[in-house]
């Protein structure tokens, strides 16, 4: 049953990525809503934009949390441990996305998933050890494997947020050397709309770009599914190593295809973080043992269908959406009127 669930989950993820890749680069899929704040002298309302970037980011965090809950629950971690584990990791990683971006790029309104991932890799062994010690349930290595898999799922789906906002974009295809130019002439992303980051930051609206976001989404979700297969088989070291190595090595390589600002150095700070994260993460993966933990996905799914966990998932979605979905770099004006013909 475990392997069938993994296959179905992976198929749903890849179908979702495929459909999102076809529609999200369009102008229509950047702004979700605008909330009027105050009225201007000309009668127009100044509004706050709520973005699909925030919606997809919230979906990614929530899905990653759900995956972590199922995997952690499947190896016997109780509800208290699940809540503490998720709250501890998200409480550290969500603020880190903005803090690291500000330190590296010097921009107050930028988020960095790479920075959050590095912080998560560093603190995960301590959070997992603390939760296992406090609750007396679960084991550290399976917990770290579950977090690595959940991270790969979350960041894979989270790249769709970048497609929507037009950030984390690849280099123009016509600037590449062969064979890359030929490859990406057939598979690329074209952003539309002047409010996409690719447009206002590098004037790349309407140009064919390397689909870094889609490549990352497919690769990370595939790595997560591979990790789940190892996890179901009880090979927790490999379940942690596979998504960890794939995601961080690809982060190093993918930056050579990106055109957005990553710092002045040829090797960016994010690439250094990713390389260090792999080496750091391999230590517990190779040294820790699972202490005879057995996997039961049915037990994990049962842990997901629980009132405290469902409330936690709703809370994660709401907090992440409010944190990432309020656009600071775009604005809007709204005019309200009565439809005379509908009275």
């Amino acid at each position: 049953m475990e392997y069938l669930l993994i296959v179905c989950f992976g198929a749903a993820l890849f179908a979702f990525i495929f459909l999102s890749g076809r529609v999200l680069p369009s102008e229509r899929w950047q702004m979700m809503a605008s909330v009027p704040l105050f009225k201007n002298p000309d009668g127009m309302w100044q509004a706050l934009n709520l973005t699909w970037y925030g919606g997809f980011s919230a979906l990614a965090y929530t899905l990653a949390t759900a995956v972590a809950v199922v995997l952690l629950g499947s190896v016997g971690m109780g509800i208290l441990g699940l809540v503490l584990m998720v709250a501890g990791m998200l409480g550290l990683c969500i603020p880190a996305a903005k803090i690291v971006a500000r330190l590296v790029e010097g921009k107050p309104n930028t988020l960095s998933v790479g920075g959050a991932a590095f912080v998560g890799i560093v603190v995960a062994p301590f959070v997992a050890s603390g939760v296992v010690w406090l609750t007396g349930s679960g084991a550290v290595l399976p917990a770290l494997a579950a977090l690595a898999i959940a991270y790969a799922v979350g960041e894979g789906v989270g790249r769709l947020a970048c497609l929507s906002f037009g950030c984390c974009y690849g280099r123009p295809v016509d600037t590449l050397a062969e064979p890359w130019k030929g490859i990406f002439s057939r598979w690329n992303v074209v952003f539309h709309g002047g409010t996409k980051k690719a447009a206002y930051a590098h004037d790349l609206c309407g140009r064919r770009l390397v689909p870094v976001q889609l490549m990352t989404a497919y690769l990370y979700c595939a790595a997560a599914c591979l990790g789940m297969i190892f996890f179901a088989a009880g090979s927790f070291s490999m379940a942690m190593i596979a998504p960890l190595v794939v995601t961080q090595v690809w982060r190093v390589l993918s930056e050579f295809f990106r055109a957005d600002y990553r710092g002045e150095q040829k090797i960016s700070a994010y690439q250094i973080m990713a390389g260090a994260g792999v080496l750091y993460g391999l230590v517990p993966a190779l040294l820790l043992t699972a202490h005879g933990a057995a996997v039961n996905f049915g037990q994990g799914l049962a842990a997901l269908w629980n009132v405290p966990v469902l409330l936690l998932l709703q809370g994660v979605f709401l907090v992440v959406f409010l944190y990432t979905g309020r656009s600071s770099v775009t604005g809007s004006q709204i005019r309200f009127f009565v439809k005379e013909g509908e009275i």
Side-chain angles (χ1 to χ4, degrees), residues 80-288:
L80 177 60
L82 295 175
V83 173
L84 289 176
M85 185 78 73
V86 170
M89 291 302 299
L90 293 183
L92 292 168
C93 293
I94 292 177
K98 178 171 286 190
I99 294 171
V100 175
R102 181 175 296 182
L103 293 174
V104 173
E105 302 178 39
K107 298 179 181 179
N109 297 316
T110 300
L111 300 176
S112 168
V113 177
F118 177 71
V119 171
I121 292 172
V122 171
V123 303
F126 301 100
V127 173
S129 299
V131 170
V132 170
W133 179 76
L134 283 172
T135 63
S137 64
V140 175
L141 180 58
L144 292 177
L147 293 176
I149 294 167
Y151 159 73
V153 172
E155 187 165 353
V157 174
R159 292 310 89 202
L160 303 180
C162 299
L163 273 182
S164 170
F165 203 80
C167 58
C168 304
Y169 44 90
R171 294 168 56 188
V173 173
D174 55 23
T175 66
L176 301 176
E178 295 292 354
W180 305 113
K181 186 175 182 179
I183 293 172
F184 294 119
S185 292
R186 294 184 291 273
W187 185 36
N188 51 71
V189 167
V190 179
F191 290 110
H192 300 281
T195 55
K196 298 280 191 180
K197 187 176 181 181
Y200 66 74
H202 280 103
D203 195 25
L204 294 176
C205 182
R207 295 184 65 179
R208 295 182 301 171
L209 307 179
V210 176
V212 174
Q213 304 95 329
L214 283 174
M215 295 162 68
T216 303
Y218 281 119
L219 184 61
Y220 281 23
C221 289
C225 291
L226 178 60
M228 289 180 190
I229 291 173
F230 284 123
F231 195 95
S235 181
F236 299 111
S237 291
M238 286 304 301
M240 179 182 176
I241 290 172
L244 174 69
V245 171
V246 170
T247 57
Q248 299 312 299
V249 170
W250 174 246
R251 180 169 295 281
V252 174
L253 298 177
S254 65
E255 297 233 348
F256 293 114
F257 290 105
R258 290 176 62 166
D260 57 327
Y261 180 76
R262 314 303 291 165
E264 301 296 339
Q265 300 81 13
K266 187 173 182 180
I267 302 296
S268 74
Y270 297 116
Q271 289 172 298
I272 296 172
M273 290 180 198
V278 171
L279 298 177
Y280 179 89
L282 287 176
V283 174
L286 296 174
L287 295 183
L288 296 176

Side-chain angles (χ1 to χ4, degrees), residues 10-26:
L13 277 181
F14 295 146
F16 183 59
I17 294 168
F18 175 78
L19 293 174
S20 299
R22 296 178 67 88
V23 301
L24 292 183
S26 69

